[in-house]
Amino acid sequence: MLRRRDRRAHDEEFVAYYAARAGHLRNTAYLLCGDWHLAEDLTQTAFTKLYRAWARIDRHDVLDQYARRVLLRTFLDEHRRPWRRERAVLPGDETLDAVVPEHRGVEDRQVLKTALLRIPKGRRAVLVLRFWADLSVEQVAEVLGCSTGTVKSQTARGLDNLREVLGDTFEPTSLKGQS
């Protein structure tokens, strides 16, 4: 009987965490992949993996960091699969060379999201973790399993890539002078 109570408490704790953080993790997944359906799948897979490890997690004070790491690894694993190597547009297509018009508000977010999808996924991951998830350089290095120098250089290169993709027509205040 004790095991059932432990199991019930375990499940209730997990459900409470899911209810509180699923939306944020799904938004992070969306910024990584740019597709709400895939973001849902990635989030669900990440929470499934998190649930399987729930009983072994000792430090619940770092659950968000652990969940982001699981999500990021799930995202990277998903893109390693051969059927994910599809391209919606061919290189040289005029859609890739389109000039981004100057927008404000909701349009800015859409333009920025589209630009994020056009930079390498490793740099995109660093930018999302640094500027969306608001993690420090050290935290991003821990999540990605790399040095802080790598995070700094990938952040700088990622921001450069974003500036190249966006051109002079778009310079959100959140990216000015940051590296």
Side-chain angles (χ1 to χ4, degrees), residues 24 33 55 105 114 128:
H24 181 73
C33 68
T114 303
V128 168

Side-chain angles (χ1 to χ4, degrees), residues 19-169:
R21 301 306 293 163
H24 181 73
L25 207 60
R26 185 178 48 251
N27 290 339
T28 303
Y30 175 71
L31 286 174
L32 288 169
C33 68
D35 177 352
W36 280 113
H37 298 289
L38 181 56
E40 285 283 344
D41 291 346
L42 292 172
T43 304
Q44 191 64 39
T45 301
F47 271 107
T48 300
K49 290 177 179 180
L50 186 62
Y51 179 76
R52 291 162 124 188
W54 194 258
R56 296 186 314 265
I57 299 173
D58 295 330
R59 295 186 55 209
H60 284 244
D61 57 323
V62 292
L63 273 175
D64 285 344
Q65 183 178 358
Y66 182 72
R68 279 190 297 266
R69 179 181 297 167
V70 170
L71 175 70
L72 180 65
R73 289 182 178 165
T74 302
F75 165 70
L76 294 173
D77 287 346
E78 179 72 19
H79 278 40
R80 289 184 185 123
R81 296 188 177 134
W83 61 84
R84 282 299 198 191
R85 294 190 185 124
E86 302 167 1
R87 297 286 182 247
V89 230
L90 296 173
D93 191 320
E94 64 185 49
T95 11
L96 296 176
D97 296 326
V99 176
V100 179
E102 187 168 334
H103 294 289
R104 296 290 170 242
V106 175
E107 294 84 13
D108 277 354
R109 287 190 293 271
Q110 183 61 36
V111 168
L112 191 55
K113 181 201 69 96
T114 303
L116 270 172
L117 294 175
R118 291 177 52 192
I119 65 173
K121 66 180 181 210
R123 292 177 186 169
R124 182 183 338 146
V126 169
L127 292 179
V128 168
L129 291 174
R130 285 281 291 125
F131 300 109
W132 170 257
D134 200 27
L135 299 181
S136 69
V137 170
E138 293 77 17
Q139 290 170 320
V140 173
E142 187 176 330
V143 168
L144 296 177
C146 63
S147 71
T148 57
T150 300
V151 172
K152 290 176 185 178
S153 67
Q154 290 299 302
T155 301
R157 290 181 183 132
L159 288 173
D160 286 344
N161 290 150
L162 267 181
R163 288 182 183 107
E164 287 173 22
V165 169
L166 294 171
D168 295 331
T169 60

